[in-house]
Amino acid sequence: MPSSSMMLCILLTTVLAYVVVVGLLRLAGPRVLSKLNAFDLVVTVAVGSLLASVITHPGPQAVTGLLALVTLIGLQVLLTRWTSSHPGRDGVIRAEPVVVVRNGELLEESLLQARLTPREVNQAVRSSGFGGLDVVAAVFLETDGTLSVIGRASVGDGSALDALH
């Protein structure tokens, strides 16, 4: 059993780490906690790992862990600001959406690239309230792994379907 001074140190370190992480996440903005693409997932897992290290290793190692947390979240903020302020650079850290259905037809090559089955696409179509591909303009595998289904009646001016061209 840890000594009472060790337990107090862990308690204080945990409170400090919590305050620092919540503060950093508030400064970083909602993007850090949004639906995850591969880049965001890696950062989130790393933050969790560092936080666990800070909490379980109080003392000088906790300061090192907190510095690593600040650095990691700071780098993500800088990188996401850089990519959002320079169109076209977003592809450096994030994949492009993949069109897997165009004008009601499954795109076999895209399905292979996305490692999706027709069954998974049909499930997304049904979940979106459509009974068949014939009423679907497009299905996209988004960068966060979700499938977006756009019905023919919902195309509008088509500006959100730029990846179709």
Side-chain angles (χ1 to χ4, degrees):
M1 175 115 177
S3 69
S4 58
S5 63
M6 176 63 109
M7 289 174 40
L8 179 62
C9 190
I10 290 172
L11 177 69
L12 292 175
T13 302
T14 302
V15 170
L16 175 63
Y18 177 80
V19 169
V20 168
V21 168
V22 169
L24 286 171
L25 293 176
R26 295 283 297 157
L27 286 173
R31 161 73 195 273
V32 175
L33 299 176
S34 65
K35 286 187 176 181
L36 302 178
N37 58 49
F39 173 73
D40 296 324
L41 177 64
V42 168
V43 171
T44 302
V45 169
V47 166
S49 178
L50 285 168
L51 182 59
S53 177
V54 166
I55 290 170
T56 58
H57 298 95
Q61 289 179 340
V63 174
T64 304
L66 288 173
L67 178 60
L69 277 168
V70 169
T71 303
L72 183 64
I73 292 175
L75 283 171
Q76 187 187 28
V77 168
L78 288 174
L79 189 57
T80 55
R81 283 192 181 155
W82 177 73
T83 58
S84 65
S85 65
H86 296 88
R89 292 185 181 168
D90 195 36
V92 170
I93 61 168
R94 187 172 304 129
E96 293 294 318
V98 177
V99 182
V100 295
V101 172
R102 180 185 297 130
N103 297 322
E105 291 188 38
L106 286 169
L107 304 175
E108 296 296 330
E109 188 105 358
S110 294
L111 287 173
L112 287 172
Q113 175 190 353
R115 293 183 299 281
L116 287 173
T117 65
R119 182 177 288 183
E120 291 169 312
V121 174
N122 285 327
Q123 187 272 324
V125 168
R126 289 190 306 274
S127 293
S128 296
F130 298 106
L133 292 177
D134 60 323
V135 293
V136 173
V139 176
F140 288 87
L141 175 62
E142 301 292 356
T143 60
D144 64 2
T146 59
L147 288 168
S148 296
V149 180
I150 297 96
R152 290 185 194 267
S154 302
V155 171
D157 69 0
S159 60
L161 306 180
D162 286 342
L164 285 173
H165 305 294

